[in-house]
Amino acid sequence: MSAILLLVLGLGGMAAGYFVYSRFIAEKIYKLDPDFRTPAHEFEDGVDFVPTNRFVLWGHHFTSVAGAAPIVGPAIAVIWGWLPAFLWVVLGTIFFAGVHDSGAIWASVRNRAKSVGSLTGEVVGGRARSVFMIVIFLVLLMVNAVFGVVIAKLLINNPGAVVPVWGAIAVALVIGQLIYRRKIGLGLVSVVGVVALYALIYIGPSVPVTLPESTAGLSPNAMWILILFGYAAIASLLPVWVLLQPRDYINGLQLFVGLILLYGAVIIASPTVVAPMINFGVPEGTPSMLPLLFVTIACGAISGFHGLVASGTTSKQLDKETDARFVGYFGAVGEGALALAAIIAATAGFASLADWQEIYYKFGEGSLTAFVDGGAFILAAGTGMEMTVAATLLTVMAALFAGTTMDTGLRLQRYIFQEWGEIYNIGWMRKALPATLLSVASCLILAFGAGGADGSGGLLIWPLFGTTNQLLAGLTLLVITVMLVRRGRPTFYTLGPLVFLLVMTLAALLMQLRDFFQKENWFLLGLDLVVLVAAVLVTLECVAALRRAKGAANDESVS
């Protein structure tokens, strides 16, 4: 079948979700108020609390949540066939991710921009907050450590991407000054920024950059990881308007241009989807599609990490409460569109089924390689672009998104340490610099302590990312649902996704537990048990919190 059909059905469904379903959720369920004074105005400090144009904030939110995961997850999951991955991405975006993301922003804004971890203590209870903080820390540790490894490998595999990836930071710094210091209009700045970024992408292959085979005894992979975390530490301490906002905004525009090019190439070249609709001949060792499909594809359908960004940084920059619909729900649509592109590239970017099967010879293969190679094949066929330039464009797209996620993720991890400092009355931990150093140290301990001199230790716990991430999404939906119950509003639209996620997460954790035991992987087995216990506690807290909330709502209605 033609990939054009997937493109039209997928984007058409997501567009309908935004224009129809998100309006209903915003007006009837969350009841967003344009006159509500948001924390960005109430606590404006020019560093973290900054009222922000909704288009710029959308760029920050979207690119912060759309790291490499919405590419990696779908590009792995198509091993079960393109149809299950396609349906989960489209339906998940419409009914799960958009509701979750916009709801997390709303919940935080209504509670002085507190993080969803802090909110859990107030809305659900102290025990739930303790569980939540552990899950949040694990997710951030996985995201930051793994994305550092992913970006390093991308830069090593495609040296032509080094100049545009790092040049994008300089472009973002200039854009921040032009918008906030020079007060130049967003339209002109956007055009200049996109042109500069794509000029760097075109130039990049001509000036490839490689690190020496050994620097102070460290491999290129290890050196890139250290450089990336050094940059992320500095970026996380800067005021959001200096680098975070403009970098995320220009990356968001870059993604749309990249998606337009890729989708345009699909329409022109009309490639054939060579992967099977449902793969009944999966390679030996491939786990069951149910329930692992729903944790393999997290980002791109629904992701708990989004709730951390929504309540950690986005809620502090929301100009009007009604902007939560555009920033949150449309941000989820943007990530869904990226996941859809990954599915098309990983299923239609090959000349034949045999070529596809050569890449997908075992579970876990494909991933970024399938996206970059398959997408480059489609771009070259549809636009006439040179394969090297096309591959660089897609590599830069993946690396920039992973980089912006690291920027935001490290900032959020710093917030977690600062919150622990407040909870346990540790004065020095409340300060930004020590909390940032602790965040970087914990990621590097995982990367180098578990992975050795190569620094790839973060990949060891990646198999648990999907389940931990979906558990986090369930916790966020629990907070939102309890708030809705207390306000006497319908809860079906958040409670339904919450129950579905908890069931799939518990089933996936049990399946992984058996797999880790059989492989005698005691490190992952121990972590799996920690997450499994957390999932059970969350389920119990869900029932207890909802009962309390309904009881309180009934008492108020009687009185």
Side-chain angles (χ1 to χ4, degrees):
M1 65 171 287
S2 173
I4 295 177
L5 185 59
L6 287 185
L7 186 156
V8 172
L9 290 176
L11 293 185
M14 293 179 200
Y18 176 72
F19 288 111
V20 180
Y21 191 63
S22 76
R23 184 180 297 277
F24 165 75
I25 295 295
E27 295 179 355
K28 304 299 182 183
I29 307 302
Y30 298 145
K31 297 184 179 181
L32 303 181
D33 183 1
D35 297 321
F36 180 79
R37 192 181 184 207
T38 64
H41 290 281
E42 185 176 357
F43 306 115
E44 184 174 359
D45 61 5
V47 179
D48 293 318
F49 292 86
V50 180
T52 304
N53 178 288
R54 66 174 186 155
F55 294 100
V56 174
L57 185 56
W58 176 88
H60 156 70
H61 178 81
F62 165 59
T63 55
S64 293
V65 300
I71 298 173
V72 173
I76 291 175
V78 295
I79 198 169
W80 290 302
W82 61 261
L83 182 61
F86 173 79
L87 290 176
W88 176 226
V89 163
V90 175
L91 297 178
T93 295
I94 297 170
F95 298 108
F96 287 68
V99 175
H100 170 276
D101 291 16
S102 57
I105 296 173
W106 167 73
S108 180
V109 165
R110 284 285 169 164
N111 290 274
R112 304 179 301 284
K114 287 189 175 182
S115 73
V116 81
S118 296
L119 277 179
T120 305
E122 296 184 8
V123 176
V124 182
R127 288 175 302 183
R129 183 185 66 181
S130 299
V131 174
F132 211 148
M133 297 293 274
I134 294 171
V135 174
I136 289 173
F137 182 78
L138 283 175
V139 168
L140 289 173
L141 189 64
M142 292 177 192
V143 167
N144 292 334
V146 172
F147 280 9
V149 177
V150 167
I151 299 170
K153 290 187 180 300
L154 284 171
L155 296 179
I156 291 171
N157 293 336
N158 192 339
V162 173
V163 168
V165 165
W166 291 99
I169 298 172
V171 172
L173 288 169
V174 172
I175 286 176
Q177 295 295 320
L178 293 177
I179 293 176
Y180 289 100
R181 294 292 191 188
R182 301 295 181 181
K183 306 297 182 183
I184 296 178
L186 194 59
L188 177 60
V189 170
S190 301
V191 172
V192 171
V194 170
V195 169
L197 188 56
Y198 273 88
L200 289 171
I201 291 174
Y202 183 78
I203 294 170
S206 302
V207 284
V209 177
T210 57
L211 295 181
E213 287 299 315
S214 178
T215 304
L218 295 175
S219 67
N221 191 72
M223 283 303 302
W224 275 128
I225 290 173
L226 291 175
I227 293 169
L228 286 163
F229 273 106
Y231 155 75
I234 295 170
S236 70
L237 290 169
L238 292 173
V240 292
W241 67 267
V242 173
L243 179 59
L244 188 68
Q245 283 183 356
R247 176 168 157 80
D248 291 351
Y249 175 66
I250 200 65
N251 285 349
L253 293 179
Q254 181 259 153
L255 168 74
F256 266 106
V257 174
L259 286 180
I260 289 170
L261 288 172
L262 183 57
Y263 285 145
V266 169
I267 293 172
I268 295 170
S270 187
T272 299
V273 177
V274 299
M277 183 170 68
I278 299 178
N279 191 6
F280 294 104
V282 295
E284 185 179 352
T286 300
S288 171
M289 180 177 70
L290 292 176
L292 286 190
L293 170 69
F294 302 102
V295 296
T296 301
I297 301 179
C299 300
I302 181 172
S303 165
F305 179 72
H306 293 201
L308 299 184
V309 176
S311 64
T313 57
T314 303
S315 63
K316 294 177 175 63
Q317 303 169 58
L318 201 73
D319 185 33
K320 295 181 179 179
E321 189 178 65
T322 47
D323 290 346
R325 176 184 171 227
F326 178 80
V327 174
Y329 197 103
F330 193 58
V333 169
E335 186 174 68
L338 178 58
L340 178 62
I343 291 172
I344 292 174
T347 58
F350 299 88
S352 67
L353 175 60
D355 291 334
W356 182 83
Q357 290 173 330
E358 188 176 332
I359 294 293
Y360 287 90
Y361 65 93
K362 71 174 183 178
F363 182 73
E365 295 301 319
S367 190
L368 284 173
T369 300
F371 171 73
V372 172
D373 293 349
F377 176 84
I378 294 172
L379 279 171
T383 66
M385 188 182 299
E386 293 182 10
M387 282 288 290
T388 53
V389 175
T392 299
L393 187 153
L394 295 174
T395 299
V396 170
M397 182 187 296
L400 288 182
F401 283 135
T404 53
T405 300
M406 272 189 70
D407 290 358
T408 303
L410 203 64
R411 187 179 289 257
L412 292 172
Q413 204 166 359
R414 184 243 294 177
Y415 291 163
I416 294 296
F417 277 111
Q418 287 179 296
E419 286 185 18
W420 277 338
E422 292 179 4
I423 292 171
Y424 299 109
N425 196 27
I426 305 174
W428 62 269
M429 196 182 289
R430 300 176 190 174
K431 298 178 181 179
L433 182 58
T436 299
L437 293 177
L438 284 174
S439 301
V440 172
S442 61
C443 293
L444 292 179
I445 287 172
L446 174 62
F448 289 95
D454 191 52
S456 59
L459 294 175
L460 292 178
I461 60 174
W462 185 251
L464 281 172
F465 169 75
T467 46
T468 311
N469 196 35
Q470 299 306 60
L471 177 60
L472 183 56
L475 279 163
T476 303
L477 286 169
L478 170 61
V479 170
I480 298 168
T481 302
V482 171
M483 287 181 61
L484 291 175
V485 170
R486 289 179 176 177
R487 287 165 169 75
R489 299 176 192 172
T491 58
F492 169 79
Y493 308 95
T494 55
L495 188 59
L498 165 60
V499 172
F500 181 86
L501 283 179
L502 286 180
V503 170
M504 291 301 166
T505 299
L506 284 168
L509 283 168
L510 289 171
M511 183 178 293
Q512 289 178 324
L513 194 67
R514 181 188 62 188
D515 183 56
F516 295 148
F517 179 78
Q518 290 174 346
K519 294 179 179 178
E520 298 184 352
N521 192 329
W522 309 123
F523 177 66
L524 287 181
L525 181 70
L527 279 178
D528 193 302
L529 283 171
V530 171
V531 179
L532 181 60
V533 170
V536 172
L537 291 175
V538 167
T539 303
L540 295 175
E541 288 294 335
C542 282
V543 176
L546 290 173
R547 282 179 176 174
R548 289 195 302 268
K550 286 184 178 180
N554 290 335
D555 291 342
E556 290 180 6
S557 62
V558 171
S559 60

